[in-house]
């Protein structure tokens, strides 16, 4: 098997047609078809389902397609690194919105300073979506809050964040003080992410253990809009302190929720070690180092910092 065979196969799947793929790479259709057939022969399995309208990958073909994309990307990164005599390539990193608010810019700056030839693709999304993207190999690594859906991930606990009640200071019924408990805020209308979000599952369980049910007035799956709703003064929310990174000081009241075991664990998850490129390995190290530096500098409130 040769790299060019992988490139041919990937192009055919992307084009959905052997003819269109052949035209795009300047080959005769019959020659490209012969290359695909030879590849199927080497693997002893059918990779493409052919029809009058084009081709679609079989289950085996789809699995091979994903691994072929990964192999080609690693090969291209290796060539680029050798040509430039320093670490190069590209890496895709996912951050949940709250985490991105505090970690995103420092991480990008550190990567640019240490590895200017690595092209960074940063994705901000819900933690559940990031997990799906990791499983689909659309990301090399990500910060997630749950690892139940992991498929051959490498997972490292990074830090545990405390949770805070956030609301406008003049909101009716708001408990006084810098700390509070689930029982004291169960009467407050809340804006929270939907059940797809790891934070919502954590809060639902915390309320359940307290024999309470959260009074969810509205669900918002996006941090900027969610915080805008909170600032309207009609509802409160429960978020880690990192959610306040884009809010001017003094705009919202913050009260730490001191219920035992109520914290959010940030997990640094990546593809398995043997699938990570040198660029991705470097990015993973930088992401962990920047996170820990923010904690030690007092810029990120945490319960526990995992140094392993």
């Amino acid at each position: 098997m040769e790299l060019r065979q992988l490139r041919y196969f990937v192009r055919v799947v992307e084009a959905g047609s052997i003819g269109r793929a052949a035209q795009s790479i300047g080959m005769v259709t019959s020659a490209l078809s012969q290359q695909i057939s030879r590849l199927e022969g080497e693997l002893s399995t059918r990779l493409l389902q052919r029809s009058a309208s084009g081709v679609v990958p079989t289950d085996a073909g789809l699995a091979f397609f994903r691994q072929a994309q990964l192999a080609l990307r690693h090969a291209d990164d290796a060539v680029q690194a050798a040509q430039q005599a320093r670490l190069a390539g590209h890496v895709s990193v996912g951050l949940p919105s709250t985490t991105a608010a505090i970690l995103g810019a420092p991480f990008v700056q550190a990567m640019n300073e240490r590895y200017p030839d690595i092209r960074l693709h940063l994705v901000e999304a819900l933690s559940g979506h990031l997990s799906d993207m990791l499983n689909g190999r659309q990301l090399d690594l990500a910060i997630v809050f749950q690892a139940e859906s992991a498929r051959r991930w490498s997972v490292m606990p990074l830090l545990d964040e405390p949770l805070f009640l956030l609301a406008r200071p003049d909101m009716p019924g708001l408990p006084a003080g810098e700390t509070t408990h689930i029982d004291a805020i169960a009467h407050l209308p809340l804006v929270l992410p939907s059940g797809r979000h790891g934070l919502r599952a954590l809060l639902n369980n915390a309320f359940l253990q307290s024999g309470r049910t959260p009074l969810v007035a509205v669900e918002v799956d996006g941090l900027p809009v969610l915080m805008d709703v909170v600032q309207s003064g009609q509802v409160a929310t429960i978020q880690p302190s990192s959610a306040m990174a884009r809010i001017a000081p003094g705009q919202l009241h913050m009260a730490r929720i001191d219920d035992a075991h109520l914290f959010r664990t940030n997990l640094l998850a990546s593809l398995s070690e043997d699938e990570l490129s040198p660029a991705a390995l470097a990015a993973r190290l930088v992401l962990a180092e920047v996170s820990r530096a923010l904690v030690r500098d007092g810029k990120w409130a945490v319960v526990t910092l995992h140094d392993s």
Side-chain angles (χ1 to χ4, degrees), residues 104-116 286-287 289-290:
F107 171 59
V108 170
Q109 181 179 357
M111 285 295 295
N112 287 338
E113 290 174 353
R114 300 187 201 182
Y115 302 106
V286 172
L287 188 62
E289 289 180 351
V290 172

Side-chain angles (χ1 to χ4, degrees), residues 145-269:
F145 308 128
Q146 296 175 320
E148 287 81 0
S149 62
R151 299 178 188 169
R152 293 192 68 218
W153 292 359
S154 174
V155 180
M156 176 178 67
L158 192 59
L159 54 87
D160 299 332
E161 293 180 281
L163 298 181
F164 292 80
L165 175 72
L166 305 178
R168 271 215 346 208
D170 58 353
M171 181 179 175
L174 194 66
E178 297 182 354
T179 62
T180 189
H181 295 275
I182 289 293
D183 289 343
I185 62 176
H187 66 287
L188 292 177
L190 298 174
V191 52
L192 294 175
S194 66
R196 186 75 177 91
H197 200 293
L199 178 63
R200 178 63 178 277
L202 177 65
L203 292 174
N204 285 347
N205 185 59
F207 275 93
L208 181 64
Q209 289 184 355
S210 297
R212 302 280 187 161
T213 301
L215 182 56
V216 181
V218 61
E219 296 179 330
V220 176
D221 286 339
L223 184 62
V225 176
L226 186 149
M227 297 303 287
D228 286 345
V229 174
V230 172
Q231 291 185 79
S232 72
Q234 304 302 311
V235 293
T237 191
I238 300 174
Q239 296 285 334
S241 63
S242 51
M244 292 289 289
R246 295 168 181 165
I247 304 296
Q251 283 191 349
L252 295 178
H253 170 73
M254 289 183 64
R256 177 167 169 167
I257 302 175
D258 276 347
D259 292 66
H261 310 300
L262 184 55
F263 54 84
R264 184 175 74 171
T265 300
N266 286 244
L267 304 172
L268 179 48

Side-chain angles (χ1 to χ4, degrees), residues 1 42 47 86 103 111 119 125 139 163 234 264 282 305:
M1 189 184 303
E42 291 181 14
L47 298 176
R86 55 185 177 183
L103 178 58
M111 285 295 295
R119 188 170 72 255
L139 294 174
L163 298 181
Q234 304 302 311
R264 184 175 74 171
L305 179 64

Side-chain angles (χ1 to χ4, degrees), residues 1-2 5-6 9-10 34-48 58-68:
M1 189 184 303
E2 300 176 1
Q5 289 177 297
L6 300 186
F9 176 74
V10 167
Q34 187 178 47
Q35 288 288 341
I36 299 299
S37 295
R38 183 177 301 169
L39 183 60
E40 290 178 322
E42 291 181 14
L43 297 174
S44 300
T45 188
R46 180 71 66 184
L47 298 176
L48 297 174
T58 62
D59 290 344
L62 185 60
F64 185 74
F65 171 70
R66 290 171 178 165
Q67 293 297 327

